[in-house]
């Protein structure tokens, strides 16, 4: 599952014997990848769109695991464009029901974050790490594109991600989030909502993000090009190896 069409086109192409079904303005494509039954879908942007898509995946397609790939803006200054972040914990940074409950707490669940399964996280880490160390991800990208986005040695990070219905495009937004949630590595618009739905349905999930920008005034520069030329290729390589 991805929040942009470019993020899932390459993965959809991996499917053998693809069958498409349209539900709720979304195209779900089923088939097999390396002999494993799979369904691929573009969820659209934001928490509501992502949640609706996951519910359909669970109740119509009976998924047993969910992998979400896409891009994110860096909050932690040690992250670089082209780095990969696997979510350990996911927060909804725009959830605020104070004074009824503490900031970021999800009503009725008593949780301020959703945590990925430890075993699932370790499995994904062990799959992606060799791809990074051996430059398999970087080697899929044209040298001119790597130079354009100043990608030299991509790194893999495991940590906290924040989600909300807001595109970060100023340093003020970035610093404000960092002050409230100092452990956050990056920010995006769907992951924590996906995690909540999966938590409520007891579905294992993993959220994998490629850093596309620095979540500040430069975050809009060549965003579509980065997704098409870099992150989408990362996703294909990662999914191929996870489903093997």
């Amino acid at each position: 599952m991805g929040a942009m069409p470019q993020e899932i086109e390459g993965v959809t192409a991996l499917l053998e014997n693809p069958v498409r079904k349209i539900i709720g303005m979304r195209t779900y494509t089923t088939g097999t990848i390396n002999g494993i039954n799979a369904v691929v879908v573009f969820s659209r942007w934001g928490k509501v769109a992502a949640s609706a898509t996951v519910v359909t995946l669970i109740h119509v397609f009976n998924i047993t695991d969910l992998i979400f790939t896409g891009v994110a803006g860096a909050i932690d200054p040690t992250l670089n464009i082209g780095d990969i972040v696997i979510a350990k914990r996911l927060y909804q940074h725009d959830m605020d029901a104070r004074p009824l409950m503490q900031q970021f707490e999800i009503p009725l669940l008593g949780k301020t974050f959703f945590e990925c399964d430890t075993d699932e996280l370790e499995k994904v880490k062990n799959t992606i790490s060799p791809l990074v160390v051996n430059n398999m991800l970087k080697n899929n990208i044209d040298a001119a594109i790597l130079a354009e986005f100043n990608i030299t040695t991509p790194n893999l990070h495991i940590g906290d991600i924040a989600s909300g219905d807001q595109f970060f495009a100023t340093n003020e937004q970035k610093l404000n989030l960092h002050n409230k949630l100092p452990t956050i590595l990056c920010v995006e618009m769907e992951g924590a909502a996906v995690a909540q739905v999966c938590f409520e349905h007891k579905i294992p999930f993993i959220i994998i993000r490629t850093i596309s920008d620095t979540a500040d005034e430069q975050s809009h520069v060549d965003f579509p090009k980065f997704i098409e030329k870099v992150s989408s290729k990362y996703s294909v390589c990662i999914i191929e190896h996870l489903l093997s």
Side-chain angles (χ1 to χ4, degrees), residues 20-66:
R20 292 171 177 80
K21 185 172 185 178
I22 298 175
I23 303 173
M25 302 176 72
R26 289 158 179 75
T27 300
Y28 298 80
T29 307
T30 58
T32 59
I33 299 176
N34 297 325
I36 298 173
N37 292 329
V39 54
V40 182
V41 61
F42 156 46
S43 68
R44 304 188 178 202
W45 286 21
K47 295 191 300 178
V48 173
S51 299
T53 308
V54 176
V55 168
T56 302
L57 286 170
I58 293 170
H59 292 291
V60 176
F61 295 95
N62 301 309
I63 64 167
T64 57
D65 297 87
L66 187 140

mmCIF file of all heavy atoms in Angstrom, residues 20-66:
data_model
loop_
_atom_site.group_PDB
_atom_site.id
_atom_site.type_symbol
_atom_site.label_atom_id
_atom_site.label_comp_id
_atom_site.label_asym_id
_atom_site.label_seq_id
_atom_site.Cartn_x
_atom_site.Cartn_y
_atom_site.Cartn_z
ATOM 1 N N ARG A 20 -7.808 -6.647 -11.278
ATOM 2 C CA ARG A 20 -8.126 -5.351 -10.688
ATOM 3 C C ARG A 20 -9.587 -5.280 -10.259
ATOM 4 O O ARG A 20 -10.473 -5.759 -10.950
ATOM 5 C CB ARG A 20 -7.810 -4.227 -11.668
ATOM 6 C CG ARG A 20 -6.321 -4.078 -11.924
ATOM 7 C CD ARG A 20 -6.008 -3.122 -13.062
ATOM 8 N NE ARG A 20 -4.569 -2.951 -13.228
ATOM 9 C CZ ARG A 20 -3.787 -3.810 -13.861
ATOM 10 N NH1 ARG A 20 -4.315 -4.883 -14.428
ATOM 11 N NH2 ARG A 20 -2.484 -3.591 -13.947
ATOM 12 N N LYS A 21 -9.800 -4.650 -9.107
ATOM 13 C CA LYS A 21 -11.150 -4.456 -8.593
ATOM 14 C C LYS A 21 -11.255 -3.047 -8.034
ATOM 15 O O LYS A 21 -10.419 -2.628 -7.236
ATOM 16 C CB LYS A 21 -11.464 -5.484 -7.494
ATOM 17 C CG LYS A 21 -12.898 -5.432 -6.998
ATOM 18 C CD LYS A 21 -13.198 -6.598 -6.063
ATOM 19 C CE LYS A 21 -14.666 -6.613 -5.659
ATOM 20 N NZ LYS A 21 -14.978 -7.783 -4.771
ATOM 21 N N ILE A 22 -12.274 -2.294 -8.457
ATOM 22 C CA ILE A 22 -12.451 -0.915 -7.999
ATOM 23 C C ILE A 22 -13.479 -0.888 -6.874
ATOM 24 O O ILE A 22 -14.616 -1.345 -7.041
ATOM 25 C CB ILE A 22 -12.888 -0.001 -9.150
ATOM 26 C CG1 ILE A 22 -11.803 0.037 -10.236
ATOM 27 C CG2 ILE A 22 -13.176 1.413 -8.630
ATOM 28 C CD1 ILE A 22 -12.196 0.818 -11.470
ATOM 29 N N ILE A 23 -13.088 -0.344 -5.734
ATOM 30 C CA ILE A 23 -13.965 -0.183 -4.582
ATOM 31 C C ILE A 23 -13.706 1.201 -3.981
ATOM 32 O O ILE A 23 -12.563 1.536 -3.669
ATOM 33 C CB ILE A 23 -13.713 -1.259 -3.496
ATOM 34 C CG1 ILE A 23 -13.871 -2.668 -4.073
ATOM 35 C CG2 ILE A 23 -14.640 -1.059 -2.304
ATOM 36 C CD1 ILE A 23 -13.481 -3.770 -3.107
ATOM 37 N N GLY A 24 -14.758 1.983 -3.818
ATOM 38 C CA GLY A 24 -14.604 3.284 -3.168
ATOM 39 C C GLY A 24 -13.584 4.190 -3.822
ATOM 40 O O GLY A 24 -12.759 4.818 -3.141
ATOM 41 N N MET A 25 -13.567 4.242 -5.145
ATOM 42 C CA MET A 25 -12.682 5.104 -5.923
ATOM 43 C C MET A 25 -11.205 4.698 -5.841
ATOM 44 O O MET A 25 -10.317 5.483 -6.148
ATOM 45 C CB MET A 25 -12.842 6.578 -5.513
ATOM 46 C CG MET A 25 -14.263 7.119 -5.673
ATOM 47 S SD MET A 25 -14.468 8.818 -5.095
ATOM 48 C CE MET A 25 -13.567 9.702 -6.389
ATOM 49 N N ARG A 26 -10.958 3.455 -5.443
ATOM 50 C CA ARG A 26 -9.597 2.948 -5.392
ATOM 51 C C ARG A 26 -9.511 1.664 -6.209
ATOM 52 O O ARG A 26 -10.450 0.874 -6.225
ATOM 53 C CB ARG A 26 -9.170 2.684 -3.956
ATOM 54 C CG ARG A 26 -8.943 3.941 -3.142
ATOM 55 C CD ARG A 26 -9.055 3.654 -1.663
ATOM 56 N NE ARG A 26 -8.828 4.834 -0.863
ATOM 57 C CZ ARG A 26 -9.697 5.829 -0.704
ATOM 58 N NH1 ARG A 26 -10.874 5.779 -1.314
ATOM 59 N NH2 ARG A 26 -9.403 6.873 0.045
ATOM 60 N N THR A 27 -8.374 1.457 -6.851
ATOM 61 C CA THR A 27 -8.152 0.243 -7.624
ATOM 62 C C THR A 27 -7.252 -0.697 -6.836
ATOM 63 O O THR A 27 -6.088 -0.385 -6.560
ATOM 64 C CB THR A 27 -7.506 0.561 -8.984
ATOM 65 O OG1 THR A 27 -8.366 1.430 -9.726
ATOM 66 C CG2 THR A 27 -7.273 -0.715 -9.780
ATOM 67 N N TYR A 28 -7.800 -1.841 -6.465
ATOM 68 C CA TYR A 28 -7.056 -2.878 -5.743
ATOM 69 C C TYR A 28 -6.639 -3.939 -6.760
ATOM 70 O O TYR A 28 -7.487 -4.478 -7.475
ATOM 71 C CB TYR A 28 -7.934 -3.503 -4.664
ATOM 72 C CG TYR A 28 -8.385 -2.533 -3.594
ATOM 73 C CD1 TYR A 28 -9.460 -1.672 -3.822
ATOM 74 C CD2 TYR A 28 -7.738 -2.479 -2.367
ATOM 75 C CE1 TYR A 28 -9.874 -0.772 -2.841
ATOM 76 C CE2 TYR A 28 -8.147 -1.586 -1.379
ATOM 77 C CZ TYR A 28 -9.219 -0.741 -1.628
ATOM 78 O OH TYR A 28 -9.629 0.146 -0.655
ATOM 79 N N THR A 29 -5.355 -4.234 -6.824
ATOM 80 C CA THR A 29 -4.849 -5.212 -7.776
ATOM 81 C C THR A 29 -4.321 -6.424 -7.021
ATOM 82 O O THR A 29 -3.408 -6.297 -6.203
ATOM 83 C CB THR A 29 -3.735 -4.625 -8.656
ATOM 84 O OG1 THR A 29 -4.189 -3.413 -9.264
ATOM 85 C CG2 THR A 29 -3.339 -5.609 -9.746
ATOM 86 N N THR A 30 -4.918 -7.572 -7.273
ATOM 87 C CA THR A 30 -4.486 -8.809 -6.614
ATOM 88 C C THR A 30 -3.662 -9.645 -7.577
ATOM 89 O O THR A 30 -3.742 -9.502 -8.794
ATOM 90 C CB THR A 30 -5.697 -9.635 -6.139
ATOM 91 O OG1 THR A 30 -6.535 -9.928 -7.270
ATOM 92 C CG2 THR A 30 -6.512 -8.878 -5.106
ATOM 93 N N GLY A 31 -2.868 -10.540 -7.006
ATOM 94 C CA GLY A 31 -2.022 -11.431 -7.789
ATOM 95 C C GLY A 31 -1.040 -12.101 -6.860
ATOM 96 O O GLY A 31 -1.279 -12.202 -5.658
ATOM 97 N N THR A 32 0.067 -12.549 -7.410
ATOM 98 C CA THR A 32 1.104 -13.158 -6.575
ATOM 99 C C THR A 32 2.451 -12.508 -6.870
ATOM 100 O O THR A 32 2.723 -12.087 -7.998
ATOM 101 C CB THR A 32 1.224 -14.674 -6.823
ATOM 102 O OG1 THR A 32 1.546 -14.903 -8.205
ATOM 103 C CG2 THR A 32 -0.070 -15.394 -6.471
ATOM 104 N N ILE A 33 3.286 -12.427 -5.826
ATOM 105 C CA ILE A 33 4.667 -11.960 -5.955
ATOM 106 C C ILE A 33 5.544 -13.052 -5.362
ATOM 107 O O ILE A 33 5.436 -13.359 -4.168
ATOM 108 C CB ILE A 33 4.900 -10.625 -5.225
ATOM 109 C CG1 ILE A 33 4.015 -9.521 -5.817
ATOM 110 C CG2 ILE A 33 6.377 -10.220 -5.317
ATOM 111 C CD1 ILE A 33 4.115 -8.182 -5.083
ATOM 112 N N ASN A 34 6.373 -13.660 -6.200
ATOM 113 C CA ASN A 34 7.208 -14.785 -5.757
ATOM 114 C C ASN A 34 6.369 -15.884 -5.108
ATOM 115 O O ASN A 34 6.757 -16.486 -4.097
ATOM 116 C CB ASN A 34 8.296 -14.299 -4.788
ATOM 117 C CG ASN A 34 9.267 -13.335 -5.445
ATOM 118 O OD1 ASN A 34 9.590 -13.465 -6.615
ATOM 119 N ND2 ASN A 34 9.726 -12.350 -4.685
ATOM 120 N N GLY A 35 5.174 -16.109 -5.661
ATOM 121 C CA GLY A 35 4.311 -17.164 -5.172
ATOM 122 C C GLY A 35 3.476 -16.808 -3.955
ATOM 123 O O GLY A 35 2.708 -17.637 -3.457
ATOM 124 N N ILE A 36 3.597 -15.596 -3.472
ATOM 125 C CA ILE A 36 2.850 -15.153 -2.286
ATOM 126 C C ILE A 36 1.659 -14.306 -2.730
ATOM 127 O O ILE A 36 1.817 -13.364 -3.511
ATOM 128 C CB ILE A 36 3.751 -14.337 -1.345
ATOM 129 C CG1 ILE A 36 4.906 -15.211 -0.834
ATOM 130 C CG2 ILE A 36 2.949 -13.781 -0.171
ATOM 131 C CD1 ILE A 36 5.936 -14.458 -0.029
ATOM 132 N N ASN A 37 0.466 -14.640 -2.248
ATOM 133 C CA ASN A 37 -0.719 -13.853 -2.576
ATOM 134 C C ASN A 37 -0.563 -12.434 -2.049
ATOM 135 O O ASN A 37 -0.166 -12.231 -0.898
ATOM 136 C CB ASN A 37 -1.969 -14.491 -1.973
ATOM 137 C CG ASN A 37 -2.316 -15.806 -2.630
ATOM 138 O OD1 ASN A 37 -2.062 -16.010 -3.817
ATOM 139 N ND2 ASN A 37 -2.897 -16.721 -1.871
ATOM 140 N N ALA A 38 -0.888 -11.460 -2.894
ATOM 141 C CA ALA A 38 -0.716 -10.062 -2.499
ATOM 142 C C ALA A 38 -1.792 -9.202 -3.142
ATOM 143 O O ALA A 38 -2.379 -9.566 -4.164
ATOM 144 C CB ALA A 38 0.669 -9.564 -2.916
ATOM 145 N N VAL A 39 -2.041 -8.044 -2.531
ATOM 146 C CA VAL A 39 -2.922 -7.034 -3.110
ATOM 147 C C VAL A 39 -2.217 -5.695 -2.960
ATOM 148 O O VAL A 39 -1.643 -5.393 -1.911
ATOM 149 C CB VAL A 39 -4.315 -7.025 -2.442
ATOM 150 C CG1 VAL A 39 -4.211 -6.878 -0.933
ATOM 151 C CG2 VAL A 39 -5.188 -5.922 -3.024
ATOM 152 N N VAL A 40 -2.219 -4.911 -4.019
ATOM 153 C CA VAL A 40 -1.522 -3.626 -4.055
ATOM 154 C C VAL A 40 -2.541 -2.523 -4.326
ATOM 155 O O VAL A 40 -3.410 -2.674 -5.190
ATOM 156 C CB VAL A 40 -0.425 -3.604 -5.144
ATOM 157 C CG1 VAL A 40 0.325 -2.279 -5.125
ATOM 158 C CG2 VAL A 40 0.549 -4.765 -4.949
ATOM 159 N N VAL A 41 -2.418 -1.404 -3.596
ATOM 160 C CA VAL A 41 -3.389 -0.328 -3.759
ATOM 161 C C VAL A 41 -2.762 1.028 -3.446
ATOM 162 O O VAL A 41 -1.887 1.138 -2.587
ATOM 163 C CB VAL A 41 -4.631 -0.562 -2.852
ATOM 164 C CG1 VAL A 41 -4.244 -0.597 -1.375
ATOM 165 C CG2 VAL A 41 -5.712 0.477 -3.107
ATOM 166 N N PHE A 42 -3.217 2.035 -4.167
ATOM 167 C CA PHE A 42 -2.882 3.440 -3.915
ATOM 168 C C PHE A 42 -3.973 3.993 -3.005
ATOM 169 O O PHE A 42 -5.125 4.081 -3.387
ATOM 170 C CB PHE A 42 -2.813 4.169 -5.266
ATOM 171 C CG PHE A 42 -3.040 5.654 -5.232
ATOM 172 C CD1 PHE A 42 -2.420 6.462 -4.296
ATOM 173 C CD2 PHE A 42 -3.867 6.256 -6.174
ATOM 174 C CE1 PHE A 42 -2.633 7.832 -4.283
ATOM 175 C CE2 PHE A 42 -4.088 7.625 -6.181
ATOM 176 C CZ PHE A 42 -3.467 8.418 -5.222
ATOM 177 N N SER A 43 -3.587 4.372 -1.769
ATOM 178 C CA SER A 43 -4.578 4.752 -0.761
ATOM 179 C C SER A 43 -5.076 6.184 -0.880
ATOM 180 O O SER A 43 -6.126 6.514 -0.345
ATOM 181 C CB SER A 43 -3.985 4.570 0.639
ATOM 182 O OG SER A 43 -2.953 5.512 0.869
ATOM 183 N N ARG A 44 -4.303 7.041 -1.544
ATOM 184 C CA ARG A 44 -4.496 8.496 -1.540
ATOM 185 C C ARG A 44 -3.924 9.079 -0.248
ATOM 186 O O ARG A 44 -3.564 8.370 0.666
ATOM 187 C CB ARG A 44 -5.961 8.886 -1.727
ATOM 188 C CG ARG A 44 -6.576 8.301 -3.001
ATOM 189 C CD ARG A 44 -7.945 8.853 -3.269
ATOM 190 N NE ARG A 44 -8.468 8.309 -4.524
ATOM 191 C CZ ARG A 44 -9.411 8.897 -5.226
ATOM 192 N NH1 ARG A 44 -9.962 10.025 -4.815
ATOM 193 N NH2 ARG A 44 -9.831 8.353 -6.364
ATOM 194 N N TRP A 45 -3.868 10.434 -0.232
ATOM 195 C CA TRP A 45 -3.197 11.130 0.868
ATOM 196 C C TRP A 45 -4.070 11.225 2.107
ATOM 197 O O TRP A 45 -5.285 11.361 2.026
ATOM 198 C CB TRP A 45 -2.848 12.557 0.455
ATOM 199 C CG TRP A 45 -1.695 12.680 -0.499
ATOM 200 C CD1 TRP A 45 -1.197 11.710 -1.330
ATOM 201 C CD2 TRP A 45 -0.917 13.841 -0.736
ATOM 202 N NE1 TRP A 45 -0.161 12.203 -2.058
ATOM 203 C CE2 TRP A 45 0.039 13.517 -1.725
ATOM 204 C CE3 TRP A 45 -0.927 15.127 -0.218
ATOM 205 C CZ2 TRP A 45 0.981 14.443 -2.190
ATOM 206 C CZ3 TRP A 45 0.008 16.058 -0.688
ATOM 207 C CH2 TRP A 45 0.946 15.705 -1.661
ATOM 208 N N GLY A 46 -3.426 11.226 3.256
ATOM 209 C CA GLY A 46 -4.087 11.583 4.502
ATOM 210 C C GLY A 46 -4.592 10.405 5.311
ATOM 211 O O GLY A 46 -4.714 9.282 4.830
ATOM 212 N N LYS A 47 -4.881 10.705 6.591
ATOM 213 C CA LYS A 47 -5.255 9.661 7.542
ATOM 214 C C LYS A 47 -6.598 9.011 7.210
ATOM 215 O O LYS A 47 -6.747 7.795 7.347
ATOM 216 C CB LYS A 47 -5.276 10.242 8.955
ATOM 217 C CG LYS A 47 -3.904 10.688 9.448
ATOM 218 C CD LYS A 47 -3.929 10.999 10.945
ATOM 219 C CE LYS A 47 -4.926 12.101 11.245
ATOM 220 N NZ LYS A 47 -5.002 12.382 12.687
ATOM 221 N N VAL A 48 -7.572 9.800 6.798
ATOM 222 C CA VAL A 48 -8.892 9.233 6.498
ATOM 223 C C VAL A 48 -8.811 8.304 5.287
ATOM 224 O O VAL A 48 -9.319 7.181 5.312
ATOM 225 C CB VAL A 48 -9.936 10.350 6.261
ATOM 226 C CG1 VAL A 48 -11.248 9.747 5.774
ATOM 227 C CG2 VAL A 48 -10.156 11.144 7.544
ATOM 228 N N ALA A 49 -8.168 8.774 4.231
ATOM 229 C CA ALA A 49 -8.040 7.955 3.020
ATOM 230 C C ALA A 49 -7.295 6.664 3.308
ATOM 231 O O ALA A 49 -7.687 5.580 2.854
ATOM 232 C CB ALA A 49 -7.323 8.750 1.929
ATOM 233 N N ALA A 50 -6.222 6.763 4.076
ATOM 234 C CA ALA A 50 -5.437 5.572 4.401
ATOM 235 C C ALA A 50 -6.249 4.596 5.243
ATOM 236 O O ALA A 50 -6.230 3.384 5.004
ATOM 237 C CB ALA A 50 -4.159 5.970 5.132
ATOM 238 N N SER A 51 -6.963 5.116 6.237
ATOM 239 C CA SER A 51 -7.768 4.256 7.110
ATOM 240 C C SER A 51 -8.847 3.516 6.330
ATOM 241 O O SER A 51 -9.057 2.307 6.512
ATOM 242 C CB SER A 51 -8.417 5.090 8.215
ATOM 243 O OG SER A 51 -7.445 5.719 9.014
ATOM 244 N N ALA A 52 -9.549 4.235 5.444
ATOM 245 C CA ALA A 52 -10.604 3.622 4.648
ATOM 246 C C ALA A 52 -10.047 2.505 3.771
ATOM 247 O O ALA A 52 -10.673 1.449 3.602
ATOM 248 C CB ALA A 52 -11.287 4.677 3.783
ATOM 249 N N THR A 53 -8.857 2.728 3.242
ATOM 250 C CA THR A 53 -8.237 1.726 2.369
ATOM 251 C C THR A 53 -7.859 0.475 3.158
ATOM 252 O O THR A 53 -8.074 -0.653 2.693
ATOM 253 C CB THR A 53 -6.994 2.314 1.680
ATOM 254 O OG1 THR A 53 -7.345 3.551 1.042
ATOM 255 C CG2 THR A 53 -6.439 1.362 0.644
ATOM 256 N N VAL A 54 -7.307 0.673 4.351
ATOM 257 C CA VAL A 54 -6.906 -0.479 5.171
ATOM 258 C C VAL A 54 -8.127 -1.302 5.577
ATOM 259 O O VAL A 54 -8.087 -2.540 5.567
ATOM 260 C CB VAL A 54 -6.129 -0.022 6.420
ATOM 261 C CG1 VAL A 54 -5.796 -1.222 7.307
ATOM 262 C CG2 VAL A 54 -4.842 0.682 6.023
ATOM 263 N N VAL A 55 -9.217 -0.636 5.929
ATOM 264 C CA VAL A 55 -10.434 -1.359 6.309
ATOM 265 C C VAL A 55 -10.910 -2.244 5.158
ATOM 266 O O VAL A 55 -11.310 -3.398 5.357
ATOM 267 C CB VAL A 55 -11.540 -0.376 6.743
ATOM 268 C CG1 VAL A 55 -12.882 -1.084 6.865
ATOM 269 C CG2 VAL A 55 -11.173 0.274 8.070
ATOM 270 N N THR A 56 -10.859 -1.722 3.940
ATOM 271 C CA THR A 56 -11.251 -2.521 2.772
ATOM 272 C C THR A 56 -10.303 -3.693 2.579
ATOM 273 O O THR A 56 -10.739 -4.822 2.289
ATOM 274 C CB THR A 56 -11.285 -1.646 1.509
ATOM 275 O OG1 THR A 56 -12.197 -0.570 1.697
ATOM 276 C CG2 THR A 56 -11.707 -2.453 0.292
ATOM 277 N N LEU A 57 -9.018 -3.453 2.735
ATOM 278 C CA LEU A 57 -8.044 -4.538 2.599
ATOM 279 C C LEU A 57 -8.329 -5.663 3.589
ATOM 280 O O LEU A 57 -8.224 -6.849 3.262
ATOM 281 C CB LEU A 57 -6.623 -4.004 2.819
ATOM 282 C CG LEU A 57 -6.023 -3.164 1.693
ATOM 283 C CD1 LEU A 57 -4.733 -2.503 2.157
ATOM 284 C CD2 LEU A 57 -5.765 -4.012 0.453
ATOM 285 N N ILE A 58 -8.717 -5.289 4.805
ATOM 286 C CA ILE A 58 -8.966 -6.281 5.847
ATOM 287 C C ILE A 58 -10.267 -7.037 5.613
ATOM 288 O O ILE A 58 -10.306 -8.271 5.671
ATOM 289 C CB ILE A 58 -8.975 -5.599 7.237
ATOM 290 C CG1 ILE A 58 -7.573 -5.082 7.578
ATOM 291 C CG2 ILE A 58 -9.459 -6.578 8.316
ATOM 292 C CD1 ILE A 58 -7.522 -4.199 8.813
ATOM 293 N N HIS A 59 -11.345 -6.300 5.325
ATOM 294 C CA HIS A 59 -12.666 -6.929 5.284
ATOM 295 C C HIS A 59 -13.058 -7.496 3.920
ATOM 296 O O HIS A 59 -13.888 -8.407 3.853
ATOM 297 C CB HIS A 59 -13.727 -5.926 5.761
ATOM 298 C CG HIS A 59 -13.612 -5.601 7.217
ATOM 299 N ND1 HIS A 59 -13.893 -6.513 8.205
ATOM 300 C CD2 HIS A 59 -13.224 -4.463 7.849
ATOM 301 C CE1 HIS A 59 -13.696 -5.957 9.388
ATOM 302 N NE2 HIS A 59 -13.278 -4.715 9.202
ATOM 303 N N VAL A 60 -12.484 -6.961 2.860
ATOM 304 C CA VAL A 60 -12.816 -7.472 1.521
ATOM 305 C C VAL A 60 -11.755 -8.451 1.022
ATOM 306 O O VAL A 60 -12.077 -9.492 0.449
ATOM 307 C CB VAL A 60 -12.990 -6.312 0.518
ATOM 308 C CG1 VAL A 60 -13.246 -6.857 -0.890
ATOM 309 C CG2 VAL A 60 -14.128 -5.394 0.950
ATOM 310 N N PHE A 61 -10.485 -8.113 1.269
ATOM 311 C CA PHE A 61 -9.407 -8.940 0.720
ATOM 312 C C PHE A 61 -8.768 -9.860 1.764
ATOM 313 O O PHE A 61 -7.880 -10.645 1.431
ATOM 314 C CB PHE A 61 -8.351 -8.039 0.076
ATOM 315 C CG PHE A 61 -8.873 -7.289 -1.124
ATOM 316 C CD1 PHE A 61 -9.367 -5.998 -0.983
ATOM 317 C CD2 PHE A 61 -8.906 -7.877 -2.376
ATOM 318 C CE1 PHE A 61 -9.875 -5.304 -2.076
ATOM 319 C CE2 PHE A 61 -9.406 -7.192 -3.474
ATOM 320 C CZ PHE A 61 -9.898 -5.900 -3.328
ATOM 321 N N ASN A 62 -9.220 -9.741 3.006
ATOM 322 C CA ASN A 62 -8.778 -10.655 4.078
ATOM 323 C C ASN A 62 -7.265 -10.720 4.234
ATOM 324 O O ASN A 62 -6.684 -11.806 4.376
ATOM 325 C CB ASN A 62 -9.330 -12.062 3.828
ATOM 326 C CG ASN A 62 -10.842 -12.086 3.765
ATOM 327 O OD1 ASN A 62 -11.518 -11.568 4.650
ATOM 328 N ND2 ASN A 62 -11.389 -12.669 2.706
ATOM 329 N N ILE A 63 -6.605 -9.564 4.215
ATOM 330 C CA ILE A 63 -5.148 -9.549 4.358
ATOM 331 C C ILE A 63 -4.746 -10.050 5.748
ATOM 332 O O ILE A 63 -5.491 -9.909 6.720
ATOM 333 C CB ILE A 63 -4.556 -8.153 4.106
ATOM 334 C CG1 ILE A 63 -5.034 -7.133 5.153
ATOM 335 C CG2 ILE A 63 -4.856 -7.671 2.697
ATOM 336 C CD1 ILE A 63 -4.259 -5.837 5.157
ATOM 337 N N THR A 64 -3.555 -10.608 5.812
ATOM 338 C CA THR A 64 -3.020 -11.088 7.088
ATOM 339 C C THR A 64 -1.845 -10.240 7.567
ATOM 340 O O THR A 64 -1.458 -10.318 8.734
ATOM 341 C CB THR A 64 -2.561 -12.544 6.966
ATOM 342 O OG1 THR A 64 -1.593 -12.653 5.909
ATOM 343 C CG2 THR A 64 -3.739 -13.465 6.652
ATOM 344 N N ASP A 65 -1.264 -9.452 6.680
ATOM 345 C CA ASP A 65 -0.157 -8.541 7.005
ATOM 346 C C ASP A 65 -0.271 -7.327 6.095
ATOM 347 O O ASP A 65 -0.809 -7.427 4.980
ATOM 348 C CB ASP A 65 1.199 -9.202 6.757
ATOM 349 C CG ASP A 65 1.438 -10.406 7.635
ATOM 350 O OD1 ASP A 65 1.017 -11.516 7.241
ATOM 351 O OD2 ASP A 65 2.044 -10.238 8.704
ATOM 352 N N LEU A 66 0.267 -6.195 6.561
ATOM 353 C CA LEU A 66 0.223 -4.987 5.735
ATOM 354 C C LEU A 66 1.594 -4.326 5.696
ATOM 355 O O LEU A 66 2.239 -4.154 6.739
ATOM 356 C CB LEU A 66 -0.807 -3.996 6.265
ATOM 357 C CG LEU A 66 -1.037 -2.784 5.344
ATOM 358 C CD1 LEU A 66 -2.507 -2.406 5.284
ATOM 359 C CD2 LEU A 66 -0.212 -1.572 5.795
#
